[in-house]
Amino acid sequence: MITGQHSCIRTTELDDVAALQRLYALPLPPATLMDRKREPVRLTRVELAELVRREDASAPTLYTVEDAAGAIAGFCMFRASGQDLAAAQAAWLFFDEAAYASPLADEAFLHFAHEAFVRKRLNKVTVYCADYEEAMRRFVTAKGFQSDGVQREVFCGGGRWHDVECLSLFRRDFMGDEA
């Protein structure tokens, strides 16, 4: 558990499944929760509970972000791309878009940056943003993520086709001379 001035970041527990399910039930899902074919994944509460149960406590990849009052504000996660590549996909998923512009999101990012680039010694972290995830895109670009390109019209939701952008942050760019 990492307690900051504005947040508490901890390993996701079974009691968090109902809140986590809210992300999977959004009318337009976060790009990071889509499968490899860019199709929305709709996990049930039972499937999410199994996912949380399988989480390895020694190397968690799914974290719950609470605000200073202890309410769940969102989640952040790692999805390994492969050890040989020393890369991972990351996501910061907040229920309120305004959270991306808050100190709470900054603390969540710093936790993940330390986890990714210092503890796990990853070289690259990628983030996927759908065209309607403007707040998350502004958040990650402000942290130094650069666009790797846009997949045009890769999924249909809400009556229209949507683009998904991949953005990356390299260890050397985040850590500078310390890398």
Side-chain angles (χ1 to χ4, degrees):
M1 180 183 311
I2 307 293
T3 304
Q5 185 177 354
H6 305 281
S7 68
C8 175
I9 302 163
R10 59 178 175 73
T11 303
T12 299
E13 301 169 350
L14 285 174
D15 291 345
D16 303 327
V17 167
L20 182 58
Q21 190 176 28
R22 288 175 42 205
L23 293 173
Y24 285 89
L26 293 171
L28 291 172
T32 214
L33 299 182
M34 294 180 197
D35 66 13
R36 290 178 192 227
K37 295 180 200 174
R38 295 287 174 238
E39 294 177 357
V41 176
R42 301 288 186 197
L43 297 179
T44 66
R45 194 173 288 210
V46 172
E47 290 167 327
L48 286 170
E50 184 58 31
L51 179 85
V52 170
R53 232 182 251 107
R54 283 193 314 240
E55 268 292 289
D56 182 1
S58 65
T61 58
L62 180 61
Y63 298 89
T64 300
V65 180
E66 297 177 347
D67 63 19
I72 296 176
F75 294 87
C76 43
M77 63 184 74
F78 273 120
R79 185 179 298 158
S81 297
Q83 287 298 80
D84 56 325
L85 301 175
Q89 180 184 341
W92 295 269
L93 303 170
F94 296 105
F95 296 121
D96 180 4
E97 283 197 10
Y100 287 103
S102 73
L104 175 132
D106 292 337
E107 287 180 1
F109 173 78
L110 289 175
H111 165 70
F112 255 54
H114 183 268
E115 187 75 16
F117 297 123
V118 177
R119 286 201 55 230
K120 295 183 187 288
R121 302 208 39 87
L122 297 176
N123 289 321
K124 177 182 178 181
V125 173
T126 59
V127 172
Y128 290 92
C129 295
D131 55 14
Y132 49 81
E133 294 180 283
E134 296 98 4
M136 186 164 78
R137 187 182 186 291
R138 280 191 305 275
F139 171 70
V140 297
T141 57
K143 301 302 181 202
F145 281 77
Q146 299 289 316
S147 180
D148 291 331
V150 176
Q151 297 171 322
R152 300 282 178 206
E153 299 180 349
V154 292
F155 89 96
C156 188
R160 71 178 199 89
W161 286 92
H162 296 278
D163 301 339
V164 174
E165 184 175 15
C166 178
L167 300 107
S168 296
L169 178 63
F170 288 90
R171 180 174 191 221
R172 68 179 178 268
D173 296 333
F174 177 74
M175 297 185 71
D177 294 337
E178 298 175 37

